Amino acid sequence: MSAQDDTTQTQPGPWQTVKRGLRLSPELRRGLGFTIFLAAVTSIGRLVVPVGAQQVLDKGLLGEGGPDIGYVVLVAALGVAALLVTTGTNYLMNRRLFVVSEHALASLRRRTFRHIHDLSMLHQQSERRGALTARVTTDIDQVSTFLQQGGMVLVTAAAQIVVATVVMAVYSWQLAIAVWIVFIPVTWLIKWLQGHLAAAYTDVRKSVSKMLSAVAESVVGAGTVRAYGVGARTSERLDASIDEHRRDQTRAISRSAFSFGAGELVYLGVNVVVVVLGAFLVAGGSMTVGELTAFLFLVILFTQPVVIGTETLNEAQNAVSGWRRVLDIVDTEPDVADPVDGVALPEGPLGVRFEGVRFAYPGGEEVLHGIDVEIRAHSKVAVVGETGSGKTTFAKLLTRLMDPTSGKVRIGGTPLAEVTFASLRGRVTMVPQEGFLFNGTLAHNVRFAKPDLTDAEIYVAFAELGLDDWLETLPAGLETELGESGANLSVGERQLVSLVRAYVADPDLLVLDEATSAVDPATELRLSSALDAVTRGRTTVIIAHRLSTAETSDEVLVFDAGNLVQQGPHAELAAEAGSVYAGLHGSWREQTRSN
Amino acid sequence: MTLPTGTAASLDDQPADDRILRQGLRNIGDMIRLEPKPFAVGAVGAMANTAMTLFLSFVVGWVVSSIAVPAYESGEVVLGTVMIGVAALLGTSIIRFSTMCARRIGAGVMMFGVQAHWRRQITRRYLALPVSWHQKHPTGTLLSNANADVEAATRPLAPLPFAVGTLFMVVIAMGAFFWIDWAIALVALGMFPTLFALNALFATKMAPRAKRAQELRAEVSAVGHESFDGALVVKAMGREAAETERFSATAEELRDAMIGVGRLRAAFEPAISGLPEIGVLVALLVGLARFEAGAIDLGQLVTVSFMFSVLAFPVRAIGWVLGDLPGSVVGRRRVDHVLSATGDMTYGQAELPETTAPARLEFDAVAYAYPDGKEALHEVTFTVEAGTTVALVGATGSGKSTLAHLAARLIDPTRGTVTLDGSDLRDLTHASLARTTALVQQIPFVFDDTVRANLALDRPGLTDDRLWDALVAAGAEKFTAALEQGLDTEVGERGTTLSGGQRQRLTLARALAGRPRLLILDDATSAVDPKVESQILTGLKDSADVASVLVVAYRRATIALADEVVFLEDGRITARGPHQELLKTHQPYADLVTAYERAEAEREFEGEFDDPEFNDPDFKDEETAA
């Protein structure tokens, strides 16, 4: 483990990554030996033609006593038989490779996906979502492509070089050594070219993502571009990014052509050696004509892997770094983990207690400075404060989407960190401000937390919250398609749906984080009184920027710059002249009832 | 959105094979016409390259018969002959290398050129097509039109020159075989068409499977994206396990599809690589018989077997092109779907006079129907008189945003007219319209650029002083000043480094910076604290550059600033007039805007009865007891 820790600091070598990857996906190791055996047998098949040609020439045509037709037919028959066998092993190897690697990678995908959901990065750093999606998609795709194409090519290419060398050495050890003397320096050249090629492809990847984000702007920001008449400006930026991408692509392809050229160079060098040295060896009687001919064929076995391997190595580098990124994510310990021997929450309504709770985002300043508060079971509590005062952080700590940096949160008397997720998520539900909706029907979204709800039950839920009128305005009712992220609904309507979704989950502690901020006042009030009726007897914590909610709650918590500065019933707090709450409330009154 | 899934499906439908071939070849023809020069370079390079490969077979044959055999027979090496052999090898290699470069680079330049051409055209269409068209197409689809679909459409170009070279080579090689010996040529006639058929069969069988795998890859990605986008909801409701199952289900479909691809490859690949090798053995047998008969010499025998092995690989290039055809046809069709989309918003020639005086906006019997036919606004008539502020009030979903979009001409009315200072918006030039009006949308959009660039958008005359004035008016100067590099700070893609409220104030400042004569605020301060909002609004009212304002609002403070209120119910104006008057005369309006007050009043009223004396259960019990 410690070696692994050391290497994550620097860049771990490709082998270490592959070893780590194999450790994590034991399915890949199973039968690996057999697959390699099949690959070895398959590459022996490539020797049939050179050896066959040598035998036909030496023993069949130029043999003592003139051409021996019977022998040639025998060689040809044996050759065909060998080819049929190796074609069979080739088939088996390919099949095994796909079946094994796809099964292993599907389970790696699944595990990584789940693990990412367990990490709180997702909602803490929303800008990283795209990158995290890449972990379970393109990164693993790259590994898959590599294992099935590149990886196999590398294995068979290596095997091909080995068997070709063995046969060459049998025919003429001098010539075999000479071939390797030419071959080795060229591999250095290839490695060098390889680096340049990889750099060019890195540029291509950068410019493609730049281009895509420029295209995304012209799509997502179409309204803004139109309203400000900045089409020409946007167009220029797009053209620039498209041209840059094209330039980078062209440069990469030119470099790859040169890398391919290295293959030609190997071929030329080895061929020249074989012809010149071979001529002398044949003249000296230490080599036959057939053997020299076989060499000329074997040279191709040497060159092909080099040509194909150049591109494969590039792919391999990408695949290995993709693999490494996946492994790094899987190795990240979830900061908010499901406790091992967790307990279930006690039955009945839940109270909450914060004891000296502090919170700072990783690497950031502290945003909550020691909060001590008790929220009684059955009560309705409003949390108010200006933007950035720590309200949302408070809600996330309350629902254990994050853990405090220090201090403790207790729920129903039990420390929150000791409650199993199964129990916690079933009893405590939060409705965030941007209640994400999934692509699908309205009913599908409401059923998110409770898949077995009937349509009738969903109707009842809407009616209980006084939203049945709204539901009736929808042409397809519960079957209305909401579109990508609920785009077919207005922002306010989306909030209504996510509220119903939380309501049907039937939690004992409901936390609303500005969950109705985009709903019109009349609807909001109707909703809030309906909610009061149906949540009576449960604990409700409402983070609100409209103070109408505070006015109707049992208690108000006022946050200011990360501190809890006031706590008590609305009327009491509003009466404290000069207090934060009095200020907020005054401004709210001014806004809602001027004139 | 409203894009019926049926359309998408019909785009994907696999048309009959001959149609694919025809359309695929027509697509290739179109692309050659776009980039004829690099294609010519690539194709000529490929032909020369394969010709050289053929020539190499003769060199190898000659080396065996003219160097090796004499050396074997005489025991001596004729240095001159060896040097000729070396020179021939060197010359062949040089030409092979340079023609290979021509082939690869030609193909690349051609493919990337066509890609860039289409990408430019597609993004131009995106900018020209109306916002309503955008709303009909999911963002993901539009992004993949410009990326994945363009790539798919051009994919056959990469192996195209190679394939052209191969076709040329097969013809020449057949000639060479017949020139050497008819019997051997017959072997070649048997082998090459079989190899060609195997490759073609493989490619056409593989294409639908590869496409299915590609679609599933997109699906896995879509599920992953969606699930991670909704991570907070997933976690808050404890649905990680269910989401993992959902993701796994598509991942397993992808796995099975890939295994299907693998099975097919396992069946064909060994056959395709094994067949030429069997061909060499057969050629050797036949060659031997012909050698016996004295029809060919030893060098020719070697040449022929060598040709069989080196020519097998290029035949694959034809398979690659064929394999990429179906995908390219689908990709091209999707590209064309964008390029041929009509309904561009066209602009007129009229210019409004250059003035700073506020503009007058008039809606005359305006109706608007969504592309699906549902009418969102009916017979809307009202005016924003020059220099006045009109508040647009209505319940969630009553059509306020649609009306704001009409005023900024993001969309055009289905019936009726919207005029600015008497000119129909449709008659104005785009520049004149953009200069005169500014729309601040509900969901703020910022470009991946600096704060300054986001505010100024390259509009002339926007000095830093003016930008700071706008920032002050929008209540955004404090956080902007606190940014590490002030106006030069990069805000990141979609402004990720800013909070929602900051983005909103930044877009408000962007609107104000242009000193518009008509300002349209579509619930543009919803993510801003009430306190901050009231500062902004008072600032607007006191501003030196008075503009006409159309504001979508819920908050009474906002409404109170308006000279007139337009009240929308289900897409119809049901009341107009000053706020105070509507309060008295129009009950639905009063119900909506005084909701909070009434709620409080009711509470206070109920509160009187909440008196312990009335409610105390013990008290009551005593009563009944007594």
Side-chain angles (χ1 to χ4, degrees):
Chain A
M1 273 323 266
S2 66
Q4 200 176 302
D5 293 342
D6 291 343
T7 47
T8 41
Q9 305 298 321
T10 59
Q11 279 274 317
W15 273 117
Q16 264 158 318
T17 305
V18 172
K19 269 194 271 177
R20 255 169 90 197
L22 289 178
R23 210 166 35 235
L24 196 72
S25 302
E27 304 98 316
L28 280 177
R29 275 183 305 183
R30 217 167 293 141
L32 186 64
F34 186 52
T35 309
I36 291 176
F37 168 75
L38 290 174
V41 174
T42 303
S43 53
I44 288 174
R46 307 301 314 273
L47 294 176
V48 168
V49 167
V51 174
Q54 181 262 333
Q55 291 288 322
V56 167
L57 287 180
D58 284 350
K59 305 231 166 106
L61 289 178
L62 304 172
E64 289 157 32
D68 182 348
I69 296 288
Y71 185 76
V72 173
V73 172
L74 179 71
V75 166
L78 282 177
V80 170
L83 280 173
L84 288 179
V85 169
T86 55
T87 301
T89 55
N90 195 353
Y91 166 75
L92 283 179
M93 175 189 69
N94 265 295
R95 260 190 70 156
R96 279 189 64 83
L97 200 70
F98 270 87
V99 172
V100 169
S101 62
E102 282 301 326
H103 275 278
L105 293 178
S107 90
L108 179 62
R109 235 188 257 272
R110 178 196 172 97
R111 235 172 320 156
T112 312
F113 177 86
R114 174 60 204 248
H115 196 80
I116 291 175
H117 262 305
D118 289 339
L119 298 173
S120 45
M121 273 179 219
L122 262 186
H123 49 90
Q124 280 185 15
Q125 296 160 280
S126 52
E127 75 276 8
R128 292 203 49 200
R129 273 179 208 154
L132 290 171
T133 311
R135 294 300 93 81
V136 294
T137 54
T138 47
D139 282 344
I140 291 183
D141 288 341
Q142 251 173 3
V143 177
S144 138
T145 313
F146 167 70
L147 286 179
Q148 290 154 10
Q149 294 174 14
M152 189 189 60
V153 167
L154 284 185
V155 170
T156 51
Q160 218 165 289
I161 289 180
V162 170
V163 293
T165 306
V166 170
V167 174
M168 282 183 176
V170 169
Y171 287 154
S172 163
W173 60 268
Q174 302 95 323
L175 201 49
I177 289 173
V179 165
W180 269 92
I181 288 174
V182 177
F183 183 61
I184 286 170
V186 177
T187 58
W188 294 334
L189 174 71
I190 288 168
K191 214 171 167 190
W192 181 78
L193 284 169
Q194 192 51 52
H196 275 249
L197 189 59
Y201 276 112
T202 307
D203 288 346
V204 170
R205 272 193 300 280
K206 278 188 198 147
S207 64
V208 78
S209 69
K210 210 166 138 188
M211 179 186 77
L212 283 180
S213 77
V215 174
E217 277 193 352
S218 75
V219 172
V220 182
T224 304
V225 170
R226 191 60 53 94
Y228 287 88
V230 288
R233 176 180 186 272
T234 313
S235 206
E236 272 166 37
R237 283 159 60 108
L238 272 167
D239 286 0
S241 70
I242 290 170
D243 285 338
E244 190 189 330
H245 178 49
R246 175 198 190 156
R247 230 182 5 257
D248 287 346
Q249 277 177 310
T250 309
R251 205 181 46 195
I253 198 83
S254 309
R255 287 195 186 173
S256 94
F258 277 93
S259 295
F260 260 62
E264 189 66 43
L265 190 65
V266 178
Y267 187 72
L268 173 67
V270 172
N271 247 345
V272 167
V273 167
V274 167
V275 169
V276 175
L277 207 57
F280 283 99
L281 286 169
V282 169
S286 55
M287 205 178 171
T288 66
V289 172
E291 284 166 353
L292 182 65
T293 309
F295 258 92
L296 290 171
F297 277 91
L298 286 167
V299 165
I300 302 179
L301 288 194
F302 246 85
T303 322
Q304 268 181 349
V306 172
V307 172
I308 299 170
T310 317
E311 256 184 350
T312 307
L313 276 175
N314 195 19
E315 256 177 45
Q317 283 179 351
N318 291 338
V320 168
S321 42
W323 210 350
R324 181 163 53 224
R325 284 191 296 266
V326 173
L327 297 174
D328 285 346
I329 279 285
V330 175
D331 283 347
T332 310
E333 287 290 327
D335 35 5
V336 180
D338 197 358
V340 181
D341 289 312
V343 294
L345 284 172
E347 292 292 316
L350 298 165
V352 182
R353 227 173 119 101
F354 273 57
E355 296 166 359
V357 169
R358 292 174 176 275
F359 184 79
Y361 284 97
E365 282 177 30
E366 195 173 83
V367 288
L368 277 186
H369 319 291
I371 303 297
D372 288 285
V373 71
E374 165 123 37
I375 294 172
R376 278 173 291 114
H378 304 289
S379 64
K380 176 182 168 189
V381 175
V383 180
V384 301
E386 290 197 28
T387 308
S389 57
K391 290 175 297 184
T392 296
T393 307
F394 178 75
K396 285 182 173 172
L397 292 171
L398 182 60
T399 48
R400 207 174 171 228
L401 290 172
M402 313 187 296
D403 279 337
T405 327
S406 67
K408 203 167 240 177
V409 181
R410 285 177 187 278
I411 185 158
T414 317
L416 196 49
E418 292 171 17
V419 180
T420 63
F421 276 1
S423 171
L424 180 68
R425 304 295 181 214
R427 305 274 306 279
V428 177
T429 291
M430 174 164 110
V431 185
Q433 184 172 13
E434 284 160 29
F436 186 86
L437 296 183
F438 293 85
N439 192 359
T441 63
L442 180 58
H444 169 79
N445 270 282
V446 175
R447 282 198 187 100
F448 182 68
K450 271 207 164 171
D452 49 355
L453 279 181
T454 63
D455 279 3
E457 285 169 320
I458 298 178
Y459 273 114
V460 170
F462 273 94
E464 281 174 345
L465 290 177
L467 296 171
D468 41 349
D469 310 356
W470 175 75
L471 186 57
E472 271 158 31
T473 63
L474 297 176
L478 287 179
E479 294 312 307
T480 305
E481 286 289 340
L482 304 191
E484 223 182 316
S485 314
N488 294 358
L489 298 181
S490 76
V491 182
E493 289 170 323
R494 280 177 234 167
Q495 291 186 334
L496 298 183
V497 178
S498 61
L499 197 69
V500 175
R501 176 171 63 188
Y503 169 61
V504 298
D506 194 21
D508 290 300
L509 171 60
L510 181 63
V511 182
L512 307 180
D513 184 4
E514 303 199 356
T516 51
S517 58
V519 175
D520 70 76
T523 309
E524 189 195 22
L525 283 169
R526 214 167 60 214
L527 197 60
S528 110
S529 61
L531 210 56
D532 279 352
V534 295
T535 57
R536 186 146 299 157
R538 307 174 200 213
T539 317
T540 324
V541 176
I542 306 176
I543 298 181
H545 77 177
R546 289 183 187 168
L547 295 200
S548 53
T549 318
E551 291 167 359
T552 62
S553 54
D554 301 323
E555 196 166 39
V556 182
L557 306 183
V558 186
F559 278 79
D560 190 48
N563 290 303
L564 178 63
V565 291
Q566 276 178 291
Q567 179 184 359
H570 158 74
E572 228 170 75
L573 300 188
E576 289 175 19
S579 68
V580 174
Y581 187 72
L584 285 169
H585 190 250
S587 136
W588 164 252
R589 278 188 76 91
E590 211 175 290
Q591 297 223 10
T592 47
R593 37 212 92 131
S594 43
N595 292 23
Chain B
M1 304 226 78
T2 1
L3 178 77
T5 34
T7 324
S10 71
L11 277 176
D12 290 339
D13 274 349
Q14 204 71 46
D17 283 352
D18 60 322
R19 272 181 54 210
I20 284 201
L21 187 66
R22 219 175 38 239
Q23 288 170 344
L25 292 177
R26 193 183 315 138
N27 179 34
I28 288 178
D30 290 347
M31 295 191 285
I32 291 175
R33 271 193 293 280
L34 283 173
E35 294 283 346
K37 271 185 213 157
F39 170 72
V41 169
V44 169
M47 287 190 241
N49 186 262
T50 47
M52 274 297 126
T53 304
L54 274 184
F55 180 70
L56 188 68
S57 308
F58 286 92
V59 172
V60 169
W62 182 83
V63 163
V64 171
S65 64
S66 307
I67 298 178
V69 174
Y72 176 68
E73 282 165 355
S74 68
E76 270 173 41
V77 176
V78 183
L79 216 53
T81 330
V82 172
M83 281 305 122
I84 292 175
V86 169
L89 284 175
L90 188 67
T92 324
S93 271
I94 289 172
I95 299 177
R96 283 219 314 169
F97 172 68
S98 45
T99 52
M100 184 272 296
C101 284
R103 185 188 78 210
R104 284 182 71 85
I105 296 173
V109 168
M110 175 188 191
M111 181 160 103
F112 305 141
V114 173
Q115 286 178 356
H117 170 84
W118 275 340
R119 284 183 175 135
R120 269 199 296 266
Q121 282 204 321
I122 287 174
T123 52
R124 288 243 149 72
R125 294 304 299 145
Y126 287 167
L127 294 174
L129 284 163
V131 173
S132 58
W133 185 87
H134 280 268
Q135 285 164 349
K136 270 192 293 184
H137 297 84
T139 311
T141 307
L142 297 185
L143 285 181
S144 81
N145 286 155
N147 185 39
D149 291 334
V150 165
E151 270 173 17
T154 56
R155 198 160 291 138
L157 293 185
L160 181 67
F162 199 2
V164 169
T166 303
L167 282 178
F168 168 79
M169 177 198 78
V170 168
V171 172
I172 301 286
M174 287 317 292
F177 283 131
F178 273 104
W179 176 62
I180 292 170
D181 186 67
W182 62 267
I184 288 183
L186 285 184
V187 177
L189 262 185
M191 189 195 89
F192 281 102
T194 314
L195 191 60
F196 181 83
L198 261 182
N199 271 295
L201 190 65
F202 179 41
T204 44
K205 277 201 176 267
M206 183 58 103
R209 292 183 198 220
K211 184 169 152 263
R212 175 87 187 118
Q214 197 53 41
E215 283 165 1
L216 284 168
R217 239 178 239 131
E219 214 174 302
V220 166
S221 167
V223 173
H225 261 290
E226 188 182 53
S227 189
F228 290 166
D229 273 349
L232 188 56
V233 171
V234 172
K235 189 161 247 182
M237 303 196 120
R239 300 299 292 168
E240 294 97 329
E243 283 295 285
T244 306
E245 287 315 314
R246 185 165 80 102
F247 178 77
S248 277
T250 49
E252 276 161 22
E253 259 187 273
L254 172 61
R255 176 195 69 197
D256 295 341
M258 283 305 291
I259 289 176
V261 165
R263 290 228 161 100
L264 193 70
R265 204 175 84 169
F268 276 89
E269 283 280 341
I272 288 174
S273 62
L275 184 69
E277 283 166 341
I278 293 177
V280 176
L281 292 176
V282 175
L284 273 173
L285 268 180
V286 174
L288 184 66
R290 301 295 293 161
F291 179 77
E292 281 281 81
I296 58 171
D297 61 24
L298 186 71
Q300 283 173 322
L301 181 60
V302 174
T303 299
V304 165
S305 10
F306 201 84
M307 266 163 79
F308 270 88
S309 25
V310 294
L311 296 188
F313 185 72
V315 172
R316 290 187 166 207
I318 295 172
W320 295 333
V321 172
L322 287 177
D324 288 336
L325 275 191
S328 76
V329 169
V330 176
R332 175 67 194 274
R333 220 174 296 157
R334 292 192 185 150
V335 168
D336 284 346
H337 174 72
V338 176
L339 296 186
S340 65
T342 52
D344 287 30
M345 192 165 259
T346 51
Y347 293 88
Q349 295 298 318
E351 295 263 352
L352 288 171
E354 297 263 0
T355 155
T356 54
R360 177 177 186 273
L361 174 76
E362 190 175 351
F363 272 62
D364 184 18
V366 168
Y368 179 78
Y370 290 119
D372 64 5
K374 195 180 122 199
E375 204 167 86
L377 289 176
H378 333 272
E379 303 303 310
V380 168
T381 303
F382 75 98
T383 315
V384 181
E385 293 296 344
T388 64
T389 297
V390 171
L392 208 50
V393 182
T396 304
S398 58
K400 301 181 300 286
S401 286
T402 307
L403 205 148
H405 287 176
L406 283 165
R409 211 192 160 207
L410 286 189
I411 49 178
D412 280 330
T414 325
R415 286 193 310 276
T417 52
V418 183
T419 57
L420 207 54
D421 284 346
S423 302
D424 191 320
L425 291 189
R426 286 168 289 204
D427 295 337
L428 296 175
T429 63
H430 195 178
S432 179
L433 185 65
R435 228 178 7 247
T436 314
T437 63
L439 167 71
V440 187
Q441 288 177 293
Q442 196 173 13
I443 298 171
F445 180 81
V446 295
F447 295 92
D448 182 6
D449 212 327
T450 61
V451 173
R452 178 184 288 107
N454 262 295
L455 292 176
L457 295 176
D458 291 349
R459 289 173 288 182
L462 293 191
T463 58
D464 278 9
D465 283 347
R466 238 174 101 172
L467 297 185
W468 280 112
D469 288 348
L471 285 168
V472 170
E477 85 283 11
K478 277 195 202 128
F479 80 80
T480 310
L483 292 173
E484 218 157 279
Q485 285 159 308
L487 288 178
D488 291 314
T489 309
E490 291 279 347
V491 297
E493 200 175 337
R494 307 249 209 305
T496 37
T497 60
L498 304 173
S499 77
Q502 289 174 334
R503 282 198 288 270
Q504 212 164 43
R505 280 175 275 168
L506 204 62
T507 55
L508 187 59
R510 172 198 290 159
L512 297 174
R515 294 195 182 147
R517 298 169 52 214
L518 170 67
L519 181 64
I520 305 155
L521 304 175
D522 182 7
D523 199 12
T525 46
S526 59
V528 176
D529 263 333
K531 238 171 147 175
V532 180
E533 190 199 26
S534 63
Q535 283 161 15
I536 296 174
L537 293 172
T538 344
L540 274 185
K541 190 107 190 171
D542 299 341
S543 159
D545 315 292
V546 183
S548 310
V549 181
L550 178 63
V551 54
V552 173
Y554 289 137
R555 294 181 185 166
R556 278 191 65 183
T558 323
I559 300 172
L561 286 169
D563 301 291
E564 195 187 17
V565 173
V566 169
F567 186 60
L568 270 178
E569 282 179 285
D570 292 330
R572 245 175 251 285
I573 296 183
T574 53
R576 271 181 67 189
H579 168 63
Q580 289 300 341
E581 196 183 302
L582 290 196
L583 270 186
K584 286 183 213 123
T585 56
H586 196 66
Q587 199 52 43
Y589 177 73
D591 286 349
L592 186 78
V593 296
T594 63
Y596 293 123
E597 263 171 277
R598 280 183 302 109
E600 190 180 9
E602 276 166 30
R603 266 197 315 279
E604 278 163 12
F605 182 68
E606 282 166 11
E608 286 170 22
F609 297 94
D610 265 352
D611 214 298
E613 279 183 47
F614 285 90
N615 268 359
D616 193 336
D618 298 332
F619 181 79
K620 272 187 193 150
D621 283 348
E622 274 173 38
E623 281 256 306
T624 30

